[in-house]
Amino acid sequence: MLHLLVADGNDRDGRARHAEATGSTSAESYAAILGEVARTRGGAACTCTLISPADADAVLPAGMDLSAYAGLVVTGSTLKLADGTPETTRQIALMRAALAAGLSVFGSCWGMQVAAVATGGAAGPNPKGGEYGFARALAPTRSGHGHPLLAGRPDRFDAPAIHGDAVLRLPAHATLLASNACSIQAIEIVHGPGVFWGTQYHPETDLDALGIMLRMSASEMIADGQCPDAAAVAAFADDLARLHADRAGHPDLLARHRLDAQITEDANRRREIGNFLDFLAVPRRAAA
């Protein structure tokens, strides 16, 4: 059994907005995906303890005895690291504490940006613009081809994405695992006794949830030139909801949005999550 911490990257208001729009917080939906991936891959089962480190009154487990957990997973967030608010600095402190405790950490989008900043890198508004909907033409580096985080990924693939910020400078002891024309997309950071694996894209996000998140980010998409108006954002989100409900029945939508099995098939889309769970389970299997 893997006991994991799942840290919601949002502040209190962000969690409330996400729950109102999707029916669950980011941490709750991430924990559900972790459990589903663990079951479908037939590996070690997992349980999740959810924490909200952005909050000043957050209840953290056992006086921050992080070594009691197999790993930490950090979700996405609507916060901005460049703002330097207490809600962001508390999460940087948690990341440093987890790595200092020797934890293996996984983070997507915000989680990867927090890890980069916590270990000496930089993150902020991407001068190349954002990615809303899908990150295209992701390419593993030479190091990425042999890295277990990307095991099973092809030489080029697309993935769900929704971000305007990105990692701008890698910290020391970081390895670039994948990138595209827009940004750094996957990294490993070895920091003290801890290790971080992360993606700028969202392997945990299903197509229906992605559509909801796009609606929530409509103003950013329009300002970034990704969509001309709110109606276009809504049409995009509607297409994603239809594809989630019946992918095989909409070849026209698959073609329109240039989607293949790397996005439409759950096992492919969630591959990095499964690879991380496998990584966590290996020492325990060996010890058994």
Side-chain angles (χ1 to χ4, degrees):
M1 177 72 71
L2 296 174
H3 300 287
L4 305 179
L5 281 175
V6 179
D8 198 311
N10 290 293
D11 60 10
R12 203 179 304 275
D13 289 342
R15 295 195 303 277
R17 289 194 301 271
H18 197 280
E20 181 179 3
T22 68
S24 61
T25 66
S26 295
E28 288 168 344
S29 59
Y30 218 127
I33 292 295
L34 286 162
E36 185 176 341
V37 171
R39 288 190 298 272
T40 57
R41 289 173 74 101
C46 70
T47 61
C48 297
T49 296
L50 310 187
I51 57 175
S52 301
D55 298 353
D57 58 350
V59 178
L60 297 174
M64 292 289 286
D65 181 15
L66 298 172
S67 62
Y69 296 86
L72 168 68
V73 175
V74 183
T75 77
S77 178
T78 58
L79 296 174
K80 303 290 185 182
L81 283 165
D83 291 341
T85 62
E87 290 78 10
T88 65
T89 57
R90 281 190 283 266
Q91 298 192 62
I92 293 170
L94 173 63
M95 181 68 70
R96 288 174 177 157
L99 294 172
L103 254 62
S104 298
V105 185
F106 182 85
S108 44
C109 198
W110 166 261
M112 188 173 91
Q113 295 167 25
V114 170
V117 171
T119 56
N126 188 357
K128 297 181 180 179
E131 292 176 300
Y132 296 90
F134 303 103
R136 302 290 188 174
L138 306 179
T141 64
R142 180 173 297 180
S143 297
H145 275 296
H147 195 280
L149 174 62
L150 299 181
R153 284 294 194 183
D155 290 342
R156 290 287 188 277
F157 63 97
D158 301 334
I162 182 163
H163 67 99
D165 287 4
V167 173
L168 304 179
R169 186 183 73 250
L170 289 175
H173 312 298
T175 302
L176 177 63
L177 302 178
S179 63
N180 68 354
C182 184
S183 64
I184 292 167
Q185 293 288 347
I187 62 174
E188 177 187 65
I189 304 170
V190 177
H191 189 76
V195 62
F196 173 85
W197 290 2
T199 62
Q200 182 57 62
Y201 50 95
H202 284 276
E204 79 283 6
T205 302
D206 292 343
L207 294 181
D208 59 338
L210 180 61
I212 294 170
M213 292 166 65
L214 292 180
R215 291 180 189 274
M216 295 173 67
S217 303
S219 60
E220 291 93 333
M221 292 179 68
I222 295 166
D224 200 54
Q226 301 282 329
C227 280
D229 51 38
V233 175
F236 189 3
D238 287 344
D239 285 353
L240 296 180
R242 285 193 288 269
L243 284 169
H244 177 80
D246 180 16
R247 297 157 204 172
H250 295 286
D252 57 326
L253 297 183
L254 293 172
R256 178 187 305 168
H257 296 289
R258 297 180 288 117
L259 303 182
D260 62 13
Q262 290 297 311
I263 286 177
T264 61
E265 296 296 329
D266 291 348
N268 289 329
R269 192 177 59 256
R270 302 169 179 173
R271 188 166 296 279
E272 290 81 0
I273 296 173
N275 290 341
F276 180 68
L277 292 178
D278 287 348
F279 172 68
L280 294 180
V282 166
R284 294 175 181 267
R285 290 174 183 160

